[in-house]
Structures are given as structure tokens and as C-alpha cells.
Amino acid sequence: MNLIIVESPAKARTIKNFLGKGYDVIASKGHIRDLPKSRFGITIDEENHEIVPKYSVAKENAPTVKEIKEKAKKADIIYIATDEDREGEAIGWHIAHAIKKDPQELPRIVFHEITKTAIKHALESARKIDMKMVNAQQARRLLDRIVGYKLSPLLASKIQKGLSGGRVQSSTLKLVVEREREIKAFIPQEYWTIDTVFKTNIDANLIKHKDEKLSKLSIENKEQAEAITKSVQNDTFKIAKIETKQRKSATPPPFMTSTLQQTASSKLGFTPKKTMMIAQTLYEGVKTPDGTSGVITYMRTDSLNLAKEAVGAVRGIIESRYGKKYLPKTPKVYTKKSKGAQEAHEAIRPTMLQFTPEVAQKFLKPDEIKLYRLIYERFMACQMEDALFEQQSIIFKGNENEYRASGRKLIFDGFYAVTGTEDKDKLLPSLKEGEKAEIQTLKPEQHFTEPPARYSEASLIKKLESEGVGRPSTYAPTIATLSNRTYVTIEKKQIIPTEVAFTVTEILEKHFSNIVDINFTAEMEEKLDEVAEGKENWQELLFDFYEKFMKQIEEGKEKIVSLKLAKPLGRNCPKCGSELLLRSGRFGNFIACSGFPKCKYTEQCDEEGNPVEKKETTADEKCDKCGADMIVKNGRNGEFLACSNYPDCKNTKSINVEEKTSETPCPDCGGKISLKNSRRGPFWGCENYPDCKFISKFEPTTITCKEKGCKGVLAPRTYRNKEVYECVKCKARTPREEIDEKQ
């Protein structure tokens, strides 16, 4: 029996379907060995100038490692079949170490598509694990750990708790902040246009007045616009020139990660994260007429290469389906213009051309078919003939003024036969040179220049790619991190930096200019590429960065002025007599005792530090311990009753709620669940208690938890001022918009 180790359970199931009884396939479920989550996990060897990682297997991965070890003991050959990029190469290397095997003794197989042919070919051409790629991934991982573990605490101590700083994250944030600065500094400029329509409904643009060429901003004010309008009204025009030229619209290249994310964002409204999740499913395996199979090639790639067999196959389909005139004489070859290295050897394309979008419609989910159609049609289009347009231009000339009207019509649709086009023909009527032309309408209009647009997720990814910042696998996680850390908000597809983003960026620009510098980040990516190619020593790269970076950290500790507000208020703490201070927290300003942590007295206040009276409702009952009024308070479990004589009397009591039944059945036994009372507050419990012991603080839904091994359901709640879904069993939380988007 031979054992194949992959990353994903879905991929494992698909591959297992292709192979006979002589093979077993198991998934590592991603990284099973990594740097520890709760500590630095890196030793600095000053003497040898080395950065030594301390890898370990996390507790949650121990059962997986144990299972792989048991299967490995019985296997004749153990194949490492993780993804063919640096991350996959490193995962394979870690798997070997975790199961106590020499990585260089385990055959490594790679494939860009999960099809029967590709898997068999991979088994026939196994190689060894590429240590150059492993070291490039290790270098990236350690660089990010060094920056994250050393910079994040500094930002948290100087600005506010919960902030983080990352190598790619910080330079990306600077791009967003710089764009917002441009927008804020933008001063609108007035300009006017003379909107003119000649008879026969020809819209024309004024291009010359009294021998002076006009641009968009040439007419600066109302006076100029009125003078030109009067001149045009008194002018007589004739058709001075008619030009007709043919122009080609070039076929688009096949998709790579960045362009797929951009196109899916603009055409389908998908976030980069959603695009990659769906693409992962299409790559790992979905149902087809021939069984479960991967239907697209590997989706984390920045290559535009295409397999000769795939190009040959699609050319045959183009000729049979559309005819010879749609097929170029030779296959089209595309080269990558943006900075960076190839993370894989092929562009994203369908693996089975017979699995057309029409056929796929019966097997794929709605969002899956949308993305698959995009990939399928782009691959077809990239090997078709260019579209051909006829460009038309007419010059209307008067004594003092000159106009141009432009239009075009589609002569040959070419690749548009597959992708379609929203570009409507703007046909101009048949006219002759020398003919008189009369004006139908003439209207001066005032305009103001617009500031640069904020980045969308698609345009930010395009910018990152063009600058060489990050790699295909980092685009979506980087944007997600900025959003999760509340550095940015995304509204109507626009990325808007928060106030703290400006604060963090300003500090980084002053004290860590290299970390936020786009060129520095891009150069580091190039050095990592050189490590992968064997041209750069990864340890020298790391140690050189570490030495310089730690000097900046030490200087930052001394020179960065803390922005955490601690203003004396001239009042003493009613509990201990120490001075009260105005402080700033993640939820705004508050008043706290200077004797913290010994004294934890706090008060609510407004932004200026003025105390805010706590609005407390008196309940219709007395304290059963001291007889004082009971008041309604708010706690972590909701509202409760507390004695108004606190702190002399610390009596509390839960508020009885009216029992009500949920429409959602019990996720454990299917019985009815209802809202009940307890001394710790209300909760949802099953009617079949004690046979069924299901309880939940929040009303559950029928949405199941996606965490591995968890059979719980999700319940909506507010957590740290954010709307989330929380699993009633494992307590895993997911932003509510992510779940709602899928429902």
C-alpha cells in the first residue's frame, strides 16, 4: 500500500477516486507544524549570525499527525503531494519532520490540476522536496514573525491595545492612507464645457477656439464659457474632414490570482476572500458527469503560461464551435509584465473543456458556476482572434471654432463571441466632406474636477501586484487583516482608513520608514525570490534584517511619544483617594484611578472628560438583604438587578424574563427550545431536559458550524461592538456579513 499526503480533505477524496486499491490518501489539513502561537518561537544565535525557529505541532493537529504516522508505518512508499508553491513545499517538509521521516527520502509529486491524468503523470515523475523553496518560505515566515512580534506590542503600548504591525500589512496600509491624504488635500478646480449637438444628433467636442487648442480644463470660468458660446452661435460650420480607421481590441490574457480577484470583484461583486474560497473548491474537486474531479488548475499563481495540450484542445473547440476565422494561425502566448516570481507554472484555466458552463450549471452551486463561467470563458477568449472595430472621426470646422465627433462600430466580434461586450456601437451618419453642418443644441455647463478615487479591493490588489508587494497567496489575507484590525472599513466597495490607521502610519513613517516603504517591501520580495532560486542565503538575509530592525525597535521604545491619554483631572478617587486620570481606550475616553491596578475604579465620561451620569432604572422591588431600592444594571450576561446601596450591600438578582419558544428546533435532539430564567440570567434550553442538556446564552439558528469536528450551530450576538455569529458549542466566532452573504 502506498500513501499520498495532501493538504485538503476535499483534495484527498478527489484523488482517492482516481487511484486503485493500492493507494491511500490522507490530508494534513494545512500546516501541522509551525511556530508556536503564544510565544516568539525564534532563537537568535548572535555568534553564528543565525535565526533558529522552534517549530512545534499544535495540540489540535496532534490527532492528524498521529493518524498520518500510523498510516506511514504501513506504507511501502510515502508521497508528499502538497500544493506546488513555496507554502506547499514547506508544508511537505514539515509533514516529513512531524512523522519522523527524512524529507529528502520521501518522493515529492506535484500537479497543477486534480484530474486522473495529472495525478498519474505526477506519480510517474516524482522528485525530491526543493529545499530552496522551503527556505524561501521559512525566511518569509520568520520575517513576518519578527515584525509582528516586535512591532505589534510597541504599537499597542504607544497607541492603543489590539493594534498590529506586519511587513506587507503596513506598506499596504500606507497605500490606503496616502490615497486618503490625496483626497483630503484635493482642491476642486472649476472648468466649463460647451456641450454641442449638431443636426442629425451628432455629439461633438470643442477642440479649438481662435487657433488655440482646447483641453478639458481650458475653459476656466463662466465668462470664458459665455464668450466662446457666443462665438460658436455666430459661427458657421462645415465638415472639414472624415477619417475612418480600423482598430483591434486585443484578446485578454488568461487569469492569474490577482486578475481573477479583480475581475470577480468588478463583475460578480465577490470579495477576494470569497473568490479564493470558491476557486479552492473548484480546484480540489466538485461533482461532474464523470465523477468528482478538480475542474480548474491551481488558483494561487502569477504565471500566464498555458500547457500545450490545453491550448491545442481549446483551439480545436474554437474552430469547431465558431469557425476558422475565430482561430489565430498560431497559439497566443502571454508574458507577465508585473514584478515578482512565478508561484506556479500555469495560469488559471478549466481542466476539462467538455465540462462547459452549460453542463456545469447542473452540478455547481450558484456562486461556483458564476466564477467557473468567468474562468472558462476567459480561457476560451485568450486563444481567439482579436475583435476588430472601425474607428470614425468627423471634424466640424468654423471660422473661429473647431469640433470633433468620434464613433466606432464592431466589424468582427472575435473573442467577444465568447465574453460578450457592453461596448455599444456609436455609429456616425453617412456625411460628405464640405457639407454644411448646423448646430442643433448648444449648452455651456459648469464642472469641477474630482479627487482621486479610493481604492476598491480590486484596484488595491492591482496596485500591490504592479508594485511587487506580496504574492498571490497574500493579497486577500492582507486586506482581510486590515479590516479585522479596524484599520480600514469597506463601504460600497471603497476602502476607507480609520483614524487609527493615520496615527499608526504616521508613527511608522517616522520611526520605521523601511517597513512602510513600498520599494523596500518589493525588494524584500525579490530577495525571497532569489532565495527560492538559490541565489541568496536565507540566514544572511534574515539576520541582516533582524539586526537593523531591532535597533529601530529599541529607538522606538525611547523616542515614540505615547499617545495613550492620561490627563490629570484635579479630582481624587472616591475609593482610594488617588488622583483620577482621563484615559483613552478602544471604545473612547474614560476616567480611571491613577492607582490602577490596585484600584480599579472607573467612570464614564464624554470626549472632554466630563462625567456622564449613569442612567439607572429603579426596579419595583426592594433589596431582600438591606431593604434599599433595587436598580437595573447591565452586565456581560445582559440586564440584572443590583442593590442601590452598593458597595455596602452587594446583593444582585437576575431579572425574570417572559418565557418564549424559539422556532428553531433543538440542534441536539430536535425538541422545542425556550427562553428560561436562571440566577446567572436568561438562557435558551431544551424542553427535553434532563434527557437533553442543550443550553445557549443566545437564540440559535439552523446554520451549522464549519469548524473541524464541531457539530454545533451558530447564534447571532454582539461581540466587542461587532455583529457576529457564535457557535453554541465551540464558541468560534465569524463576522455576521460573511455568514449572511452565503445564505
Side-chain angles (χ1 to χ4, degrees), residues 96-366:
H97 280 287
I99 64 174
K100 309 297 182 185
K101 298 288 183 181
D102 184 349
Q104 294 302 303
E105 290 183 1
L106 300 184
R108 167 85 163 112
I109 61 172
V110 294
F111 37 82
H112 300 290
E113 56 188 72
I114 305 178
T115 59
K116 190 172 184 178
T117 304
I119 301 304
K120 288 188 174 181
H121 177 72
L123 289 169
E124 293 168 359
S125 52
R127 60 168 172 82
K128 291 184 178 181
I129 286 177
D130 188 338
M131 285 307 300
K132 297 190 295 295
M133 292 179 70
V134 172
N135 290 338
Q137 191 278 337
Q138 284 195 95
R140 175 189 284 279
R141 183 75 182 93
L142 297 181
L143 278 170
D144 292 342
R145 174 56 66 100
I146 289 167
V147 174
Y149 258 71
K150 300 301 180 182
L151 183 57
S152 298
L154 182 61
L155 294 175
S157 67
K158 297 292 184 178
I159 305 174
Q160 71 178 43
K161 188 178 177 181
L163 296 182
S164 70
R167 190 175 57 85
V168 175
Q169 168 195 319
S170 297
S171 54
T172 304
L173 182 61
K174 184 182 178 182
L175 284 174
V176 177
V177 168
E178 283 182 334
R179 178 59 59 87
E180 197 69 17
R181 286 171 179 165
E182 290 177 38
I183 294 170
K184 288 184 176 181
F186 181 80
I187 300 174
Q189 183 179 344
E190 180 185 8
Y191 71 97
W192 287 70
T193 58
I194 312 297
D195 295 333
T196 309
V197 177
F198 284 85
K199 285 189 175 177
T200 62
N201 291 319
I202 302 175
D203 292 310
N205 297 317
L206 185 63
I207 59 172
K208 190 182 289 187
H209 174 65
K210 292 183 178 179
D211 296 326
E212 180 184 343
K213 289 186 178 179
L214 298 178
S215 65
K216 178 182 177 180
L217 304 179
S218 293
I219 309 174
E220 298 176 356
N221 51 52
K222 185 177 181 181
E223 291 72 23
Q224 289 181 8
E226 289 177 344
I228 294 174
T229 301
K230 189 174 181 180
S231 171
V232 171
Q233 287 173 333
N234 296 328
D235 213 342
T236 56
F237 295 88
K238 65 178 180 179
I239 299 171
K241 192 176 183 181
I242 298 176
E243 285 186 346
T244 302
K245 294 180 180 178
Q246 288 193 349
R247 293 281 186 271
K248 286 185 177 181
S249 182
T251 51
F255 282 130
M256 51 187 178
T257 303
S258 58
T259 51
L260 178 63
Q261 290 175 354
Q262 292 165 41
T263 308
S265 175
S266 59
K267 289 195 173 184
L268 305 178
F270 290 177
T271 65
K273 183 178 179 180
K274 180 176 180 177
T275 298
M276 297 310 290
M277 286 175 61
I278 297 171
Q280 183 91 30
T281 302
L282 296 175
Y283 166 69
E284 290 179 346
V286 293
K287 289 182 180 179
T288 74
D290 301 318
T292 301
S293 178
V295 294
I296 65 169
T297 53
Y298 190 52
M299 65 287 158
R300 292 188 182 89
T301 173
D302 57 2
S303 171
L304 293 178
N305 295 333
L306 292 168
K308 289 183 180 179
E309 297 81 3
V311 173
V314 78
R315 282 174 61 83
I317 290 178
I318 291 168
E319 184 174 0
S320 63
R321 191 177 298 176
Y322 297 99
K324 284 188 176 182
K325 66 179 182 177
Y326 286 88
L327 186 68
K329 291 182 180 179
T330 58
K332 292 196 172 185
V333 179
Y334 298 90
T335 55
K336 185 170 175 286
K337 295 178 181 179
S338 56
K339 300 176 184 178
Q342 277 75 34
E343 288 287 351
H345 300 303
E346 249 199 290
I348 304 169
R349 61 167 177 83
T351 59
M352 301 181 295
L353 288 172
Q354 70 273 22
F355 192 62
T356 63
E358 292 71 31
V359 174
Q361 192 89 35
K362 302 174 185 176
F363 296 90
L364 302 182
K365 295 176 182 177

Side-chain angles (χ1 to χ4, degrees), residues 480-630:
T481 299
L482 292 179
S483 180
N484 293 338
R485 293 288 182 177
T486 64
Y487 283 130
V488 302
T489 58
I490 301 176
E491 299 175 12
K492 296 179 180 178
K493 296 188 177 182
Q494 293 184 323
I495 300 177
I496 306 169
T498 59
E499 283 302 316
V500 75
F502 285 92
T503 304
V504 170
T505 301
E506 286 166 8
I507 286 177
L508 293 178
E509 285 174 330
K510 185 174 181 180
H511 300 278
F512 298 89
S513 57
N514 58 329
I515 297 298
V516 292
D517 182 64
I518 292 294
N519 293 327
F520 174 83
T521 309
E523 285 169 10
M524 186 59 73
E525 295 291 352
E526 290 174 4
K527 288 180 181 178
L528 291 171
D529 294 341
E530 289 175 358
V531 171
E533 295 165 8
K535 298 176 183 178
E536 175 90 28
N537 183 292
W538 71 292
Q539 282 291 351
E540 290 178 5
L541 171 66
L542 277 172
F543 198 83
D544 181 59
F545 173 82
Y546 177 81
E547 277 193 317
K548 295 173 182 175
F549 181 66
M550 288 310 296
K551 286 180 182 177
Q552 290 177 296
I553 290 289
E554 293 306 316
E555 289 175 2
K557 289 178 180 178
E558 294 179 9
K559 295 181 179 179
I560 298 175
V561 179
S562 176
L563 299 181
K564 287 190 172 180
L565 192 62
K567 177 183 174 183
L569 293 175
R571 293 195 289 122
N572 294 331
C573 174
K575 272 193 173 182
C576 71
S578 299
E579 189 172 27
L580 290 177
L581 302 174
L582 176 63
R583 291 190 175 277
S584 177
R586 63 183 305 178
F587 300 119
N589 292 347
F590 66 98
I591 296 171
C593 179
S594 60
F596 180 85
K598 289 184 179 180
C599 178
K600 297 180 180 177
Y601 177 81
T602 61
E603 292 179 13
Q604 293 179 340
C605 68
D606 57 23
E607 290 302 307
E608 285 72 40
N610 301 313
V612 175
E613 289 186 18
K614 295 180 181 178
K615 295 180 180 179
E616 295 174 338
T617 305
T618 303
D620 293 331
E621 59 180 289
K622 302 289 184 180
C623 174
D624 51 17
K625 287 188 177 181
C626 71
D629 289 335
M630 296 293 281

Side-chain angles (χ1 to χ4, degrees), residues 314 317-318 321-322 376-384:
V314 78
I317 290 178
I318 291 168
R321 191 177 298 176
Y322 297 99
Y376 192 98
E377 291 180 349
R378 176 63 76 96
F379 177 57
M380 289 276 289
C382 82
Q383 291 302 317
M384 296 178 75

